[in-house]
Amino acid sequence: MARISTENFHQIKLGLVWVFNISWIWFWSAMSTLKEQLPWTLSPLIVNAPMAGFAGGKLASAVTLAGGLGMIGSLRSMDDLRKELGIAAEAFKDSPGLSASRVLPVGVGFLPFVLKLEDVLPVFDDYKPAVIWLFVPKDLDDYAEWVPAIRKASPESKIWIQLGSVAAALHVARIARPDVLCLQGADAGGHGFEKGASIVSLLPEVTDTLAAEGFSHIPLVASGGIVDGRGVAAALTLGAEGVVMGTRFLASKEVNVHPVYQAAVLEAQDGGQVTTRSKLFDQLRGPNIWPELYDGRGLVAQSHKDFANGMSLEEIQKLHNEAAAGEDKGYNTGLQGRAAIWAGTGVGLVKEVQSAGEIVQEVREGAKDVMARTAARLK
Ligand SMILES: Cc1cc2nc3c(=O)[nH]c(=O)nc-3n(C[C@H](O)[C@H](O)[C@H](O)COP(=O)(O)O)c2cc1C
């Protein structure tokens, strides 16, 4: 066996120190990207999903004040959106760090397939949100137009794009160069890719594919079925730098949700059994306007059971629209409702209504605790 001389030994040692330092610098710069983008946030990063009609300025500001990233959901009226942004801005008045921020420390979601870019852009004359989140264009190639236009209108905002497949992640990285990719697994509540995988396989495959194609600098955040610290710990282990939760925040005090909808979420157990992915949800009011690629996950409703038993779509729509005109808007507990109750497979773990700040703190601390306990089990 070749013997290592003292000089060689020192050279190897120096080499190892160099490799360690470079790895550490690389690790730190990769890990610090999101923190640099969102300096008020604490680690691990918890984000509330920009749930259209549910997540307004009140929820977004509460999440940001707790050290997360608060998001406002997409609205069709830009005046309504300005109102919600104003509510968030007002909530930061007594927090010198947040009110002095160059950008408004919340994100705003947009659903490009129902919006016109020229209607959206003027909002950024009044507010510069920290994050502009895009989900569901008519065609993924539309991002090649949307992203540069938004960057020009609000250069300091970061652009996050949510999607649900390896191919879409690579395509969007190439044509739009987003600041963050939000990977949505098939467990997610609300709309998502009709064909999908859970984040367990989606995240590592996207990570590897992006790295192989030179896009490893784009941070990934994960969503879909994450409702507590265990889910966050799993997502971080799979390669995410932060997590997005929708269903968990449906049981927050600040969310805009009908009380019967919230009661149905709290009551639901065994999420894989009581929720389903379906395009039927988008046909309940009338013709489905969502692009082909998408369906949605929600609680199995009476409408589904009727459809499975052979009732015509016209009859289902008629019963839905009659129920939706009532005080309870067609929502009901016991899986008896006719209207869509969007929720992910994690719904069975959502047991009580808490303030958004409590949720953020509990989930963040829970994740750290789980990761420490898991590491200890490996010793
Ligand atoms: C009630 C509800 C409404 C949603 N609305 C939107 C939306 O308007 N825009 C969007 O990008 N995602 C929306 N989503 C999907 C979320 O962005 C996110 O992917 C999802 O909530 C994550 O899964 P989880 O619900 O299991 O946490 C919605 C989700 C829910 C539950």
Side-chain angles (χ1 to χ4, degrees):
M1 205 170 82
R3 293 191 55 183
I4 300 172
S5 69
T6 314
E7 195 184 330
N8 280 350
F9 177 77
H10 281 300
Q11 273 172 354
I12 291 168
K13 204 168 110 184
L14 280 175
L16 285 174
V17 169
W18 184 81
V19 168
F20 175 79
N21 282 341
I22 290 295
S23 316
W24 176 244
I25 289 166
W26 173 84
F27 176 75
W28 176 244
S29 61
M31 296 312 286
S32 64
T33 316
L34 276 188
K35 182 75 184 157
E36 280 164 14
Q37 290 181 17
L38 313 166
W40 71 89
T41 57
L42 300 172
S43 192
L45 175 65
I46 310 291
V47 183
N48 75 277
M51 300 179 282
F54 297 82
K58 204 170 157 199
L59 176 62
S61 55
V63 170
T64 288
L65 283 164
L69 169 63
M71 301 282 308
I72 295 172
S74 184
L75 288 163
R76 289 234 188 168
S77 150
M78 293 303 122
D79 285 339
D80 288 349
L81 180 56
R82 283 186 182 86
K83 270 186 217 145
E84 295 302 331
L85 285 158
I87 290 170
E90 183 70 25
F92 301 136
K93 275 211 166 128
D94 297 331
S95 306
L98 291 174
S99 56
S101 169
R102 284 153 66 95
V103 285
L104 185 65
V106 292
V108 182
F110 292 100
L111 294 167
F113 85 103
V114 284
L115 296 169
K116 288 199 184 102
L117 187 53
E118 63 264 31
D119 294 337
V120 168
L121 295 178
V123 173
F124 308 130
D125 295 338
D126 303 324
Y127 294 98
K128 310 266 186 236
V131 168
I132 294 169
W133 164 298
L134 303 175
F135 182 52
V136 193
K138 283 196 185 98
D139 187 298
L140 285 178
D141 285 334
D142 295 350
Y143 287 140
E145 185 194 356
W146 275 68
V147 172
I150 292 172
R151 285 207 193 283
K152 200 164 161 223
S154 189
E156 290 184 58
S157 302
K158 299 297 174 190
I159 301 182
W160 291 27
I161 296 182
Q162 178 168 255
L163 36 77
S165 77
V166 179
L170 183 57
H171 186 63
V172 168
R174 280 190 179 133
I175 63 159
R177 317 250 155 185
D179 297 298
V180 171
L181 280 171
C182 310
L183 296 179
Q184 187 198 41
D187 292 303
H191 287 89
F193 280 32
E194 182 182 24
K195 290 198 260 172
S198 79
I199 59 164
V200 173
S201 53
L202 181 64
L203 262 169
E205 194 178 346
V206 169
T207 304
D208 292 352
T209 304
L210 292 183
E213 297 291 327
F215 294 108
S216 57
H217 57 281
I218 301 179
L220 306 178
V221 299
S223 75
I226 303 169
V227 286
D228 62 19
R230 292 168 292 185
V232 176
L236 297 180
T237 307
L238 291 164
E241 290 188 30
V243 302
V244 180
M245 300 191 301
T247 301
R248 177 75 192 255
F249 283 104
L250 289 174
S252 67
K253 287 183 182 158
E254 294 84 350
V255 75
N256 298 321
V257 69
H258 192 285
V260 179
Y261 189 125
Q262 197 173 54
V265 166
L266 293 175
E267 170 201 77
Q269 285 176 30
D270 205 353
Q273 303 301 308
V274 298
T275 69
T276 186
R277 295 204 75 89
S278 175
K279 283 185 187 281
L280 182 69
F281 292 122
D282 293 319
Q283 294 172 302
L284 292 174
R285 290 168 193 272
N288 181 2
I289 60 163
W290 286 75
E292 187 56 31
L293 205 56
Y294 303 85
D295 67 357
R297 184 181 286 281
L299 291 181
V300 175
Q302 186 58 45
S303 308
H304 276 91
K305 294 179 229 163
D306 290 345
F307 192 63
N309 289 332
M311 190 184 277
S312 72
L313 184 58
E314 291 68 34
E315 183 64 12
I316 288 170
Q317 287 171 336
K318 185 175 146 284
L319 290 171
H320 169 271
N321 292 337
E322 281 167 12
E327 204 175 303
D328 287 344
K329 313 266 183 214
Y331 304 130
N332 204 343
T333 52
L335 304 181
Q336 301 290 311
R338 296 215 154 260
I341 296 187
W342 307 107
T345 60
V347 70
L349 292 159
V350 180
K351 303 273 190 223
E352 57 171 331
V353 177
Q354 292 167 284
S355 73
E358 266 168 3
I359 294 174
V360 172
Q361 173 133 1
E362 184 186 294
V363 172
R364 187 169 59 218
E365 294 310 314
K368 287 195 250 181
D369 187 43
V370 168
M371 293 195 92
R373 280 190 286 122
T374 307
R377 283 215 306 264
L378 299 176
K379 278 182 190 152

